[in-house]
């Protein structure tokens, strides 16, 4: 049984080369996950895949049932999660196509069901979230980028916005002042829910575009996002294949 799962984001709704052994529909106390878990073998290693936005890419970031997704992975025996995410680059080092392994998060989302610890508690429960990502998994991703010959930003702060709209240039300027180096819509509450269930969790971020007002400041074209993501996700696939063959 796989202990590693990959959550695919925009641009990665399936894993090329995955020899699928089983699809598993899991019902959870929190409702429906984004889809069945896809179990299989890639480069000799068992792995489980879940498309965060659904296999047809139909679920917007604020409607994803993050609790059901993470609960389903935990229920299936997963211990480690690599979350692939498309982001906008705020830092100069994150032009379209660049890869980054963030080490911090700032959460700007609102109204999302973001904890398992709210009902039927015998006592109020807090968890440590000082360092939201698993350093061991992060190091593995960084190493495998190197082996695959891909450059990668080894740190970064992922600012998570509510979406589905993109941000204004002023919002991005503020996020830059806050210390965010990238912006995306799905990093939270996914990361904290993984922590609540004791899953090791790291993010492999791909810059799909310059964030609003960055780069040459022109408006963001969805067609360009798609094109950049096609190239960026090819890099991610290489890293994931490399990582799985190293296990
Ligand atoms: N903002 C928020 N989320 C994103 C972006 C962006 O510019 N690009 C890809 N996901």
């Amino acid at each position: 049984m796989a202990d590693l799962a990959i959550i695919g984001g925009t641009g990665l709704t399936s894993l090329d080369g995955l020899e699928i052994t089983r699809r598993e529909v899991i019902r959870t106390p929190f409702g429906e996950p984004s889809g069945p878990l896809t179990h299989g073998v890639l480069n000799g290693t068992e792995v489980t895949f879940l498309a965060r936005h659904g296999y047809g890419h139909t679920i917007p970031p604020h409607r994803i049932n993050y609790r059901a997704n993470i609960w389903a992975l935990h229920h299936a025996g997963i211990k480690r999660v690599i979350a692939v995410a498309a982001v906008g680059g705020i830092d100069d080092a994150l032009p379209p196509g660049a890869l980054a392994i963030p080490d911090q998060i700032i959460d700007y989302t609102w109204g999302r069901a973001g904890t398992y610890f709210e009902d039927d508690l015998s006592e109020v429960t807090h968890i440590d979230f000082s360092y939201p990502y698993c350093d061991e998994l992060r190091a593995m991703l960084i190493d495998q980028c190197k082996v695959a010959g891909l450059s990668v930003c080894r740190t970064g702060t992922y600012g998570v916005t509510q979406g589905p709209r993109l941000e204004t240039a002023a919002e991005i300027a503020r996020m830059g002042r806050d210390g965010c180096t990238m912006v995306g819509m799905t990093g939270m509450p996914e990361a904290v829910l993984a922590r609540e269930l004791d899953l090791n969790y790291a993010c492999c971020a791909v810059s799909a575009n310059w964030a609003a007002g960055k780069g040459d400041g022109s408006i963001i074209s969805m067609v360009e996002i798609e094109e950049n993501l096609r190239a960026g996700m090819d890099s991610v696939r290489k890293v994931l294949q490399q990582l799985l063959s190293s296990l």
Side-chain angles (χ1 to χ4, degrees):
M1 203 172 70
D3 88 325
L4 177 77
I6 292 164
I7 300 180
T10 302
L12 193 78
T13 47
S14 63
L15 277 186
D16 290 357
L18 180 70
E19 297 157 40
I20 298 171
T21 49
R22 194 162 56 98
R23 288 202 171 80
E24 187 178 13
V25 175
I26 297 185
R27 308 215 181 283
T28 87
F30 304 96
E32 297 272 317
S34 298
L37 302 185
T38 307
H39 302 290
V41 179
L42 184 61
N43 283 16
T45 301
E46 285 187 279
V47 65
T48 294
F49 182 80
L50 176 65
R52 185 187 284 118
H53 297 275
Y55 292 95
H57 200 263
T58 51
I59 312 170
H62 61 296
R63 287 286 180 83
I64 291 166
N65 191 338
Y66 296 94
R67 288 199 297 190
N69 286 351
I70 297 294
W71 194 96
L73 293 175
H74 180 256
H75 182 75
I78 295 299
K79 307 280 182 238
R80 303 184 283 182
V81 177
I82 292 172
V84 177
V87 297
I90 299 178
D91 191 89
D92 290 347
L94 284 177
L99 300 182
I101 312 299
D103 61 335
Q104 277 298 334
I105 292 174
I106 300 180
D107 185 6
Y108 300 90
T109 66
W110 46 271
R112 298 184 180 187
T115 181
Y116 295 110
F117 297 133
E118 59 184 3
D119 292 323
D120 305 323
L121 297 177
S122 53
E123 60 178 52
V124 174
T125 307
H126 301 287
I127 57 144
D128 171 63
F129 201 47
S130 309
Y131 304 101
Y133 296 111
C134 167
D135 272 336
E136 211 175 304
L137 264 186
R138 291 185 53 252
M140 275 168 56
L141 283 166
I142 292 166
D143 286 350
Q144 297 311 322
C145 286
K146 248 190 269 165
V147 177
L150 295 162
S151 65
V152 62
C153 283
R154 305 162 69 98
T155 57
T157 297
Y158 180 165
V160 193
T161 54
Q162 179 70 1
R165 71 168 175 84
L166 298 180
E167 301 70 34
T168 66
E171 286 167 338
I172 291 297
R174 184 183 74 169
M175 291 176 73
R177 290 192 297 276
D178 285 352
C180 298
T181 60
M182 66 193 86
V183 56
M185 300 174 190
T186 57
M188 284 291 282
E190 197 172 86
V192 73
L193 292 166
R195 178 62 57 85
E196 284 189 353
L197 294 188
D198 258 336
L199 299 180
N200 294 312
Y201 177 96
C203 173
C204 181
V206 190
S207 174
N209 54 284
W210 285 115
K214 294 286 170 181
D216 65 7
S218 51
I219 62 165
I220 299 170
S221 139
M222 300 310 141
V223 174
E224 271 172 51
I225 288 191
E226 269 176 42
E227 280 167 11
N228 295 332
L229 270 184
R230 257 196 294 278
M233 289 302 168
D234 282 347
S235 302
V236 170
R237 281 190 193 95
K238 274 190 207 147
V239 176
L240 294 175
Q241 291 187 348
Q242 188 60 50
L243 185 132
L244 288 166
S245 57
S246 78
L247 292 175

